[in-house]
Amino acid sequence: MSTVSARINAGAVVQAPAVSRQPFLELRGLSKSFGSAHAIDAVDLSLAQGEFFSILGPSGCGKTTTLRLIAGFERPRSGRILLEGRDITDQPPEKRPINTVFQSYALFAHLDVAENVAFGLREDGVPKKERLERVNEALSLVRLEELASRRPNELSGGQQQRVALARAVVKRPRILLLDEPLGALDLQLRKTMQIELKALQERLGMTFVYVTHDQEEALTMSDRIAVMRGGRVCQLGSPEDIYDRPTTRYVADFIGASNCLPVTVAHGTREYSTANGIRGPLPDIPYLPQGERAYLVIRPECCHLEPAAGTGLLGRVTEVLFKGMYRSYHVRIEDGTTFTVADPHRPSESRPWTVGDQVRVSWPVNESWLATD
């Protein structure tokens, strides 16, 4: 992270209060390489007990490697992993009070649902009576009691995912790791399972560490999110902070749609200027990198279109897309930047703007944010 973005970050409330102030799981300076390739580099994270924590980023950013290090499937090149202050870095996976749910589910085709859920307990030598009680409890949690005698091939994708969850929680781990567990489901089922998964986590009060490349999943379910890029954590905070106050253009572009206007902060003022002399007010943030290049970030839903005689950035509508709940207007402003404006759809109103219309783009000053490269 650059000095500028670190200062902007320091001035923003980008880290939400954790569920508990006492660190539960800590990663200290964790690094891992595969040959000459650095998978993760000096990752520091501190999680609270009972927190739903997501690691978000594109393929190859290091999120799954981080999860595998927590699980004990990989050993770090350097750094330590602490659970409630106890160093577990060198503990094998089977000795850690941690379970993992994978995208593939890995259910045993020859066993029914109840037998799949009981498998780990049987391997651990749990007595039959206790085993049955815990299996019934786990199936009740995921609402699969009536399907206990079915085989995996008789279940839907969502039901198979619930079996995998039940099999993981039946062992009562302290931490549940989830590696893109909804990735194989269709869009509508995935949205339903997001709600169910968050509800399950809240009922259990268990710490979930969830890896995903899907921004909506992370925003929907998480207490906090770590956004990763190139093996490093580039921003950590609540879903609202990550979305509303991105510290870099990368985070702004990765988390939802954004308009990023290249600006320079004018010396001695709370104003920005663009390359071709457009000036405007800046949001009320504690630190302004005066004289330095930055990006003014405005989300499409915060923008408004006004007639050319109004106030704001002058531009021309280049595209209109109907999205159902809203219309997306693409507007090319004078310096060549294209703005996206999301305007809520109201069936009783006619479409006010068409391609070719000259308009002004405006937004509330404090619904914008300053970010760096």
PDB file of all heavy atoms in Angstrom, residues 32-40 77:
ATOM      1  N   LYS A  32       4.180 -17.690   2.108  1.00  0.00           N
ATOM      2  CA  LYS A  32       4.249 -19.020   1.503  1.00  0.00           C
ATOM      3  C   LYS A  32       4.658 -18.882   0.051  1.00  0.00           C
ATOM      4  O   LYS A  32       4.126 -18.048  -0.675  1.00  0.00           O
ATOM      5  CB  LYS A  32       2.883 -19.718   1.601  1.00  0.00           C
ATOM      6  CG  LYS A  32       2.794 -21.073   0.896  1.00  0.00           C
ATOM      7  CD  LYS A  32       3.655 -22.126   1.563  1.00  0.00           C
ATOM      8  CE  LYS A  32       3.535 -23.476   0.883  1.00  0.00           C
ATOM      9  NZ  LYS A  32       4.394 -24.500   1.510  1.00  0.00           N
ATOM     10  N   SER A  33       5.611 -19.722  -0.359  1.00  0.00           N
ATOM     11  CA  SER A  33       6.063 -19.747  -1.750  1.00  0.00           C
ATOM     12  C   SER A  33       5.949 -21.153  -2.294  1.00  0.00           C
ATOM     13  O   SER A  33       6.072 -22.138  -1.559  1.00  0.00           O
ATOM     14  CB  SER A  33       7.517 -19.276  -1.859  1.00  0.00           C
ATOM     15  OG  SER A  33       7.651 -17.953  -1.410  1.00  0.00           O
ATOM     16  N   PHE A  34       5.732 -21.234  -3.605  1.00  0.00           N
ATOM     17  CA  PHE A  34       5.786 -22.509  -4.322  1.00  0.00           C
ATOM     18  C   PHE A  34       6.875 -22.353  -5.381  1.00  0.00           C
ATOM     19  O   PHE A  34       6.665 -21.712  -6.410  1.00  0.00           O
ATOM     20  CB  PHE A  34       4.428 -22.834  -4.961  1.00  0.00           C
ATOM     21  CG  PHE A  34       3.326 -23.046  -3.958  1.00  0.00           C
ATOM     22  CD1 PHE A  34       2.433 -22.027  -3.663  1.00  0.00           C
ATOM     23  CD2 PHE A  34       3.188 -24.263  -3.296  1.00  0.00           C
ATOM     24  CE1 PHE A  34       1.415 -22.211  -2.745  1.00  0.00           C
ATOM     25  CE2 PHE A  34       2.184 -24.455  -2.369  1.00  0.00           C
ATOM     26  CZ  PHE A  34       1.293 -23.430  -2.092  1.00  0.00           C
ATOM     27  N   GLY A  35       8.045 -22.887  -5.067  1.00  0.00           N
ATOM     28  CA  GLY A  35       9.191 -22.637  -5.927  1.00  0.00           C
ATOM     29  C   GLY A  35       9.581 -21.173  -5.843  1.00  0.00           C
ATOM     30  O   GLY A  35       9.744 -20.621  -4.756  1.00  0.00           O
ATOM     31  N   SER A  36       9.670 -20.506  -6.985  1.00  0.00           N
ATOM     32  CA  SER A  36      10.027 -19.090  -6.998  1.00  0.00           C
ATOM     33  C   SER A  36       8.802 -18.180  -6.941  1.00  0.00           C
ATOM     34  O   SER A  36       8.932 -16.956  -6.902  1.00  0.00           O
ATOM     35  CB  SER A  36      10.841 -18.769  -8.262  1.00  0.00           C
ATOM     36  OG  SER A  36      10.072 -19.069  -9.418  1.00  0.00           O
ATOM     37  N   ALA A  37       7.609 -18.783  -6.946  1.00  0.00           N
ATOM     38  CA  ALA A  37       6.371 -17.999  -6.954  1.00  0.00           C
ATOM     39  C   ALA A  37       5.909 -17.729  -5.527  1.00  0.00           C
ATOM     40  O   ALA A  37       5.736 -18.661  -4.736  1.00  0.00           O
ATOM     41  CB  ALA A  37       5.285 -18.729  -7.725  1.00  0.00           C
ATOM     42  N   HIS A  38       5.713 -16.463  -5.204  1.00  0.00           N
ATOM     43  CA  HIS A  38       5.222 -16.073  -3.882  1.00  0.00           C
ATOM     44  C   HIS A  38       3.696 -16.132  -3.880  1.00  0.00           C
ATOM     45  O   HIS A  38       3.042 -15.342  -4.559  1.00  0.00           O
ATOM     46  CB  HIS A  38       5.696 -14.675  -3.520  1.00  0.00           C
ATOM     47  CG  HIS A  38       7.178 -14.550  -3.423  1.00  0.00           C
ATOM     48  ND1 HIS A  38       7.917 -15.124  -2.409  1.00  0.00           N
ATOM     49  CD2 HIS A  38       8.077 -13.929  -4.230  1.00  0.00           C
ATOM     50  CE1 HIS A  38       9.203 -14.869  -2.576  1.00  0.00           C
ATOM     51  NE2 HIS A  38       9.320 -14.139  -3.684  1.00  0.00           N
ATOM     52  N   ALA A  39       3.131 -17.052  -3.111  1.00  0.00           N
ATOM     53  CA  ALA A  39       1.674 -17.186  -3.042  1.00  0.00           C
ATOM     54  C   ALA A  39       1.076 -16.137  -2.121  1.00  0.00           C
ATOM     55  O   ALA A  39       0.109 -15.461  -2.470  1.00  0.00           O
ATOM     56  CB  ALA A  39       1.290 -18.582  -2.580  1.00  0.00           C
ATOM     57  N   ILE A  40       1.622 -16.008  -0.915  1.00  0.00           N
ATOM     58  CA  ILE A  40       1.232 -14.933  -0.009  1.00  0.00           C
ATOM     59  C   ILE A  40       2.489 -14.365   0.623  1.00  0.00           C
ATOM     60  O   ILE A  40       3.497 -15.056   0.784  1.00  0.00           O
ATOM     61  CB  ILE A  40       0.224 -15.376   1.084  1.00  0.00           C
ATOM     62  CG1 ILE A  40       0.834 -16.426   2.012  1.00  0.00           C
ATOM     63  CG2 ILE A  40      -1.058 -15.878   0.465  1.00  0.00           C
ATOM     64  CD1 ILE A  40      -0.014 -16.677   3.247  1.00  0.00           C
ATOM     65  N   ARG A  77       6.265 -20.572   4.782  1.00  0.00           N
ATOM     66  CA  ARG A  77       7.710 -20.344   4.676  1.00  0.00           C
ATOM     67  C   ARG A  77       8.197 -19.572   5.897  1.00  0.00           C
ATOM     68  O   ARG A  77       9.286 -19.799   6.421  1.00  0.00           O
ATOM     69  CB  ARG A  77       8.011 -19.555   3.398  1.00  0.00           C
ATOM     70  CG  ARG A  77       9.502 -19.311   3.137  1.00  0.00           C
ATOM     71  CD  ARG A  77       9.680 -18.304   2.020  1.00  0.00           C
ATOM     72  NE  ARG A  77       9.272 -16.970   2.461  1.00  0.00           N
ATOM     73  CZ  ARG A  77       8.815 -16.027   1.665  1.00  0.00           C
ATOM     74  NH1 ARG A  77       8.650 -16.275   0.374  1.00  0.00           N
ATOM     75  NH2 ARG A  77       8.481 -14.842   2.129  1.00  0.00           N
TER      76      ARG A  77
END
